[in-house]
């Protein structure tokens, strides 16, 4: 049952991210819900869940994208593993810590993607500093909802 | 237990990392391309379906507005339909009154016409614009002298008349033949004249010199025609010929509404058989 819920959450995150990008582009780039879901799943369900959702979600984004097939999957998988390690070190039950963790994860994801881009495409990427930080803030704002949904699933089917 | 969980986590991390690095390192490998294609087939439908669903939802307000407009139009059309029903009942009453008055005056009632479609199956090689053969004969109800109409550009116009009837086919003398003639009325003034056939342009004779006729006026069959029902389009005035001082009438040229070369199917008219009441049989006839 938990696998089904995980699949549904992944599907919902991908679809919302796609629809936002397609219909709400005037608000800027959408929050990276796959990343937020990966962090939330990793902290609430466990590292293996986070890595799996991150890898599959990243692969989905890579399929929909045009460049660096496998890059997002690798980055989100590592983020999931890192969030799983963090779970043992700090309490992530309050909203402030959730915001902080997702914000940090967003920065880490951006850095990993740029590094992978440099190694595999000889290109650092062109996202500006403010857009980069703005995206991280947007991801952090989506964190409480993702954690609440993950906690609900864990409570029902954990 | 804790070390076992950590081991599992590391195994998953290693497997996922290896898979991702393979995909990253071999982007143009056939196996990676095939995997990507498979994943596209698996992953693309949900967002596409969601986007289509979102598109449908976004159309709801405009569809609702259109539904309201259609409803208003429907109400308006319903009111107009009622008006038309009233007009139709008035028309029927007028027709009945007309028939009654005609019977009182002893005027021969005008007969309704029925029509049937026929296909042009042949042309006279010697006179291409003189006559055509159609696939309706006496077995199908075609009769001698039956009017034949053609269609061109959505309009029905005079084409000719049946001059020879066989069981399964008929010969139609076209208006463009020089032997054809027809009484017609011209323009708003309904000036009556005799139209004579010609391969190039029809000619209408015996129009009054004082008749006010302009180029482009329409020419219709006359009520005094014995062959054609009145009010069928024949053509349009193409040229007004100068008045000959020795003749007491004027002539015009008419461009046919239906050119015989255009038709592949024709309408053959025939009047319904009149049911003349006994008390009317002794009446006057015009």
């Amino acid at each position: 049952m938990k696998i089904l819920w995980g699949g549904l959450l992944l599907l919902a995150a991908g679809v919302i991210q796609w629809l936002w990008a397609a219909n709400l582009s005037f608000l800027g780039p959408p929050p990276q819900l796959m990343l937020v879901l990966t962090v939330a799943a990793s902290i609430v369900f466990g590292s293996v869940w986070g890595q799996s959702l991150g890898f599959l979600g990243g692969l989905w984004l890579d399929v929909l994208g045009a460049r660096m097939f496998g890059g997002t999957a690798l980055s989100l998988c590592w983020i999931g593993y890192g969030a799983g390690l963090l779970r043992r070190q700090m309490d992530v039950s309050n909203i402030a810590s959730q915001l902080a963790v997702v914000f940090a994860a967003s920065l880490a994801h951006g850095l990993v993607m740029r590094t992978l881009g440099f190694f595999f495409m000889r290109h650092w990427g062109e996202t500006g500093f403010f857009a980069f930080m703005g995206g991280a803030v947007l991801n952090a704002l989506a964190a409480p909802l993702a954690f609440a949904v993950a906690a609900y699933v864990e409570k029902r089917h954990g | 237990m804790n070390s076992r969980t950590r081991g599992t986590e590391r195994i998953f991390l290693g497997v996922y990392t290896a898979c991702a690095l393979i995909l990253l390192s071999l982007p143009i490998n056939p196996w990676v391309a095939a995997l990507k294609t498979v994943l596209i087939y698996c992953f693309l439908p949900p967002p596409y379906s969601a986007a289509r669903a979102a598109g449908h939802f976004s159309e709801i307000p405009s569809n609702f507005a259109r539904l309201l407009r259609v409803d208003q139009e429907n109400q308006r059309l319903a009111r107009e339909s009622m008006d038309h029903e009233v007009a139709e009942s008035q028309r029927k009453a007028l027709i009945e009154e007309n028939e009654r008055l005609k019977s009182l005056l002893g005027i021969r009632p005008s007969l309704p016409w029925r029509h049937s479609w026929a296909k042009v199956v042949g042309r006279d090689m010697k006179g291409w614009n003189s006559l055509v053969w159609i696939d309706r004969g006496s077995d199908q109800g075609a009769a001698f002298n039956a009017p034949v109409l053609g269609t061109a550009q959505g309009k029905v116009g005079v084409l000719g008349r049946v001059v020879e009837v066989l069981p399964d086919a008929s010969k139609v003398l076209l208006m463009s033949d020089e032997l054809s003639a027809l009484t017609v009325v011209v323009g708003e003034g309904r000036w009556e004249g005799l139209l004579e056939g010609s391969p190039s342009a029809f000619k209408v004779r015996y129009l009054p010199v004082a008749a006010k006729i302009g180029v482009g006026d329409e020419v219709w069959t006359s009520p005094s025609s014995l062959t054609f029902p009145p009010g069928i389009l024949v053509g349009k005035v193409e040229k007004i010929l100068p008045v000959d001082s020795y003749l007491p009438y004027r002539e015009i040229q008419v461009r046919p509404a239906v050119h015989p070369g255009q038709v592949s199917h024709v309408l053959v008219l025939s009047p319904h058989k009149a049911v003349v009441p006994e008390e009317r049989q002794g009446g006057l006839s015009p």
Side-chain angles (χ1 to χ4, degrees), chain A residues 51-52 60 63-64 78 88, chain B residues 9 13 16-17 40 43-44:
Chain A
Q51 287 180 58
S52 301
W60 188 0
V63 165
L64 297 179
W78 284 352
R88 301 190 185 95
Chain B
E9 290 172 0
L13 180 68
Y16 287 144
T17 304
I40 283 174
F43 285 154
L44 218 49

Side-chain angles (χ1 to χ4, degrees), chain B residues 75 85 99 102 124 162 193 263 265 283:
Chain B
Q75 289 179 12
E85 279 182 21
E99 292 296 323
K102 275 183 178 175
D124 185 7
V162 174
V263 292
H265 290 80

Side-chain angles (χ1 to χ4, degrees), chain A residues 10-11 14-15 18-19 22-23 46-48 51-53 55-56 59-71 73-74 77-78 81 84-85 87-89 116 120, chain B residues 2 5-6 8-25 27 32-33 35-37 39-44 46-48 50-52 54-55:
Chain A
L10 194 73
L11 193 70
V15 166
W18 174 282
L19 288 179
N23 300 307
S47 174
V48 173
Q51 287 180 58
S52 301
L53 286 180
F55 182 79
L56 286 174
L59 211 56
W60 188 0
L61 294 180
D62 287 332
V63 165
L64 297 179
R67 294 186 297 181
M68 222 163 58
F69 182 55
L74 180 61
C77 168
W78 284 352
Y81 181 74
L85 290 181
R87 178 193 188 192
R88 301 190 185 95
Q89 309 298 326
L116 289 174
F120 289 98
Chain B
N2 197 14
T5 307
R6 285 189 180 178
T8 311
E9 290 172 0
R10 284 175 187 155
I11 290 171
F12 269 84
L13 180 68
V15 171
Y16 287 144
T17 304
C19 290
L21 285 174
I22 289 171
L23 295 177
L24 274 168
S25 308
V32 176
L35 174 67
K36 195 173 179 181
T37 307
L39 289 175
I40 283 174
Y41 277 107
C42 297
F43 285 154
L44 218 49
Y48 266 140
R52 285 176 62 188

Side-chain angles (χ1 to χ4, degrees), chain B residues 69-283:
Chain B
R69 283 198 300 275
V70 166
D71 183 53
Q72 289 173 350
E73 193 176 349
N74 192 25
Q75 289 179 12
R76 182 178 61 78
L77 290 174
R79 284 196 297 272
E80 285 183 15
S81 173
M82 288 177 68
D83 293 344
H84 287 153
E85 279 182 21
V86 172
E88 176 67 13
S89 63
Q90 287 175 345
R91 190 186 69 84
K92 283 180 181 169
L94 286 172
I95 289 173
E96 285 174 8
E97 186 182 2
N98 187 287
E99 292 296 323
R100 197 169 60 249
L101 291 173
K102 275 183 178 175
S103 71
L104 285 174
L105 292 172
I107 298 173
R108 188 182 67 183
S110 55
L111 301 175
W113 294 78
R114 58 190 167 84
H115 67 270
S116 57
W117 284 98
K119 189 178 176 186
V120 176
V121 292
R123 290 177 186 271
D124 185 7
M125 297 304 290
K126 287 180 284 186
W128 191 257
N129 288 324
S130 293
L131 57 90
V132 292
W133 283 93
I134 58 173
D135 65 348
R136 286 209 170 259
S138 54
D139 290 353
Q140 290 83 30
F144 177 72
N145 238 1
V148 178
L149 311 181
T151 57
Q153 296 163 350
K155 284 188 174 180
V156 176
V158 170
L159 187 70
R161 62 190 172 89
V162 174
V163 290
E164 193 175 327
V165 185
L166 301 178
D168 290 320
S170 300
K171 189 193 283 185
V172 177
L173 183 71
L174 299 172
M175 285 307 298
S176 49
D177 187 89
E178 288 166 351
L179 291 175
S180 293
L182 173 66
T183 50
V184 294
V185 289
V186 183
E188 293 293 322
R190 303 189 68 77
W191 304 100
E192 194 165 53
L194 182 67
L195 181 138
E196 294 175 353
S198 164
S200 53
F202 302 157
K203 189 177 278 188
V204 179
R205 296 180 191 273
Y206 311 120
L207 290 165
V209 177
K212 302 248 185 274
I213 296 169
V215 173
D217 284 355
E218 289 184 328
V219 179
W220 307 85
T221 52
S222 165
S224 60
S225 169
L226 291 174
T227 308
F228 284 85
I232 296 178
L233 187 66
V234 179
K236 283 186 175 178
V237 176
E238 188 175 49
K239 189 177 179 184
I240 299 168
L241 301 175
V243 179
D244 189 337
S245 56
Y246 293 101
L247 294 176
Y249 57 84
R250 73 185 313 166
E251 297 175 349
I252 58 172
Q253 271 188 9
V254 174
R255 188 176 67 250
V258 179
H259 193 277
Q262 290 177 301
V263 292
S264 57
H265 290 80
V266 297
L267 269 171
V268 184
L269 300 185
S270 52
H272 280 293
K273 285 182 180 170
V275 180
V276 184
E278 285 183 7
E279 65 269 21
R280 210 189 291 168
Q281 286 179 352

Side-chain angles (χ1 to χ4, degrees), chain A residues 29-98:
Chain A
Q32 295 173 329
L33 293 178
M34 289 294 186
L35 168 75
V36 180
L37 180 66
T38 300
V39 174
S42 189
I43 288 175
V44 177
F45 301 155
S47 174
V48 173
W49 278 94
Q51 287 180 58
S52 301
L53 286 180
F55 182 79
L56 286 174
L59 211 56
W60 188 0
L61 294 180
D62 287 332
V63 165
L64 297 179
R67 294 186 297 181
M68 222 163 58
F69 182 55
T72 315
L74 180 61
S75 174
L76 290 186
C77 168
W78 284 352
I79 296 282
Y81 181 74
L85 290 181
L86 203 64
R87 178 193 188 192
R88 301 190 185 95
Q89 309 298 326
M90 62 182 287
D91 176 27
V92 204
S93 57
N94 58 24
I95 289 179
S97 56
Q98 292 168 2

